[in-house]
Amino acid sequence: MHITARGSAVGAVAFAAVLLVVVTGCSSDSDEGDSGSKLLEGLGALADDNSMKQVTFLDVAKVRKLSKGDSKRFTSVAQPGSFLLNSYEPGPWGQHLKVTQIDTAVDTDEAGHWEGSFDAPAITKSLKSNGYTQSARDGEDVWARPGNTGVSFQVSEDELSYSSRDSDPMSAVTPKKGSSLADNKDYRRAAECLGDVYRADFNPLSSPNPVRLAALGQHAASAAHHTEVLCFVVKDDATAQRLEVKLRSVVGAESPKFDGTKVTLEEGDQPLVRAVVPDTATQRPGRLIISDMELWMTVNDL
């Protein structure tokens, strides 16, 4: 099962349960965030009007390397967040596209962008046989069914974009300059907090919750050396202070479950609270929303 957060939560259990439906990691031993350039590059492929949707970024090539020799350990975080990769219902490309061909993926519940090595002629042939027709839009070839019903695609040998929007579908994956999720101040703040991750899941929360955006990241220097990072972008310093106290309280109350966790607070124009939670080789990445959900629950009743 892959972890795909799809929607915001009202209560503690609801928040965790929603996030459980779609999950991230560190290429160095540091627990400090950095620019997260690969992550920001992925977010740059989606338009900012996706900002109120759950978003999942996955460095699929990295997780494949981490999974060698112990694939079960990374089962929960190894799958991109796209509904098109549902193993029970093959996509319109038939057998001509597999997850192993994807190197990076960024997805919402209605659109996404993948980079990798694809058999574009075989995929487009399959699309055509499934009723898709090709047309030029803004200089790009788009495959869609008549009336833009279902999912529309752009396909090349190294990129595949898709969208299930009925109106101007590919606008979700062709952001104009300065209007991508990488330019969204909350997503950029959370991405920089997460750092160099192989997976990131973003969950926007709506008012009146004072947490604007919650993000979970998976960091892994190796299969055995893994940490999970929670980043909460909040509306003001007072909220950040309350959340910091709650997180520290949970870490102490749940010992030894969260032993070694570092909670930090950054105040200012975009207040942020960060919790870095170490794993051991016996714990599966993604545990913070699979079984150990207490830290996520702190976003409620702030």
Side-chain angles (χ1 to χ4, degrees):
M1 176 182 63
H2 64 288
I3 302 174
T4 31
R6 289 289 177 255
S8 61
V10 176
V13 175
F15 180 80
V18 169
L19 200 56
L20 184 62
V21 180
V22 64
V23 196
T24 304
C26 178
S27 62
S28 72
D29 293 352
S30 171
D31 60 10
E32 294 299 319
D34 60 24
S35 63
S37 58
K38 186 171 263 191
L39 171 56
L40 285 174
E41 183 179 340
L43 293 176
L46 297 182
D48 188 20
D49 57 8
N50 291 290
S51 62
M52 291 311 295
K53 300 178 178 68
Q54 299 264 335
V55 178
T56 298
F57 164 82
L58 181 64
D59 185 340
V60 192
K62 175 68 179 291
V63 80
R64 279 199 296 266
K65 292 180 181 179
L66 292 169
S67 299
K68 287 182 179 179
D70 191 359
S71 59
K72 289 184 178 180
R73 174 163 160 73
F74 289 87
T75 299
S76 296
V77 294
Q79 183 82 356
S82 174
F83 64 92
L84 291 171
L85 298 173
N86 185 328
S87 60
Y88 298 104
E89 187 177 348
W93 42 68
Q95 301 301 313
H96 301 297
L97 189 149
K98 298 178 175 60
V99 176
T100 53
Q101 297 172 322
I102 302 173
D103 291 334
T104 62
V106 59
D107 301 278
T108 73
D109 60 357
E110 69 172 19
H113 177 81
W114 307 336
E115 296 186 3
S117 298
F118 308 114
D119 188 344
I123 291 173
T124 54
K125 182 179 180 180
S126 182
L127 291 175
K128 187 175 181 179
S129 69
N130 278 283
Y132 285 79
T133 58
Q134 186 181 30
S135 62
R137 301 179 193 174
D138 297 325
E140 299 287 344
D141 290 330
V142 177
W143 288 87
R145 286 195 173 105
N148 288 336
T149 59
V151 184
S152 300
F153 298 92
Q154 290 177 332
V155 184
S156 70
E157 292 184 354
D158 53 8
E159 293 182 287
L160 188 151
S161 297
Y162 68 91
S163 173
S164 61
R165 294 181 181 179
D166 292 335
S167 176
D168 194 12
M170 303 315 294
S171 64
V173 288
T174 53
K176 296 179 181 179
K177 185 176 181 180
S179 62
S180 74
L181 282 184
D183 301 302
N184 179 290
K185 65 178 185 178
D186 288 340
Y187 274 81
R188 190 172 188 89
R189 179 77 162 129
E192 291 171 346
C193 169
L194 292 176
D196 183 15
V197 299
Y198 70 80
R199 183 170 180 123
D201 286 270
F202 299 87
N203 186 59
L205 282 79
S206 57
S207 182
N209 196 309
V211 176
R212 292 178 175 174
L213 183 64
L216 175 66
Q218 312 295 326
H219 290 254
S222 66
H225 189 176
H226 195 278
T227 58
E228 297 195 38
V229 179
L230 287 170
C231 293
F232 301 97
V233 180
V234 302
K235 73 171 187 177
D236 53 34
D237 289 345
T239 300
Q241 293 162 8
R242 291 197 302 272
L243 182 55
E244 179 194 24
V245 170
K246 280 197 168 191
L247 287 168
R248 292 186 184 278
S249 176
V250 170
V251 170
E254 295 293 330
S255 181
K257 185 185 294 186
F258 301 122
D259 284 2
T261 295
K262 295 181 180 180
V263 178
T264 55
L265 165 68
E266 294 181 26
E267 299 178 330
D269 293 337
Q270 284 185 283
L272 180 88
V273 184
R274 188 171 191 255
V276 180
V277 186
D279 283 346
T280 69
T282 60
Q283 294 168 323
R284 289 190 181 186
R287 70 178 176 112
L288 295 188
I289 49 177
I290 293 174
S291 57
D292 302 337
M293 299 180 286
E294 294 87 348
L295 293 174
W296 279 111
M297 294 180 184
T298 58
V299 302
N300 295 275
D301 303 321
L302 286 174

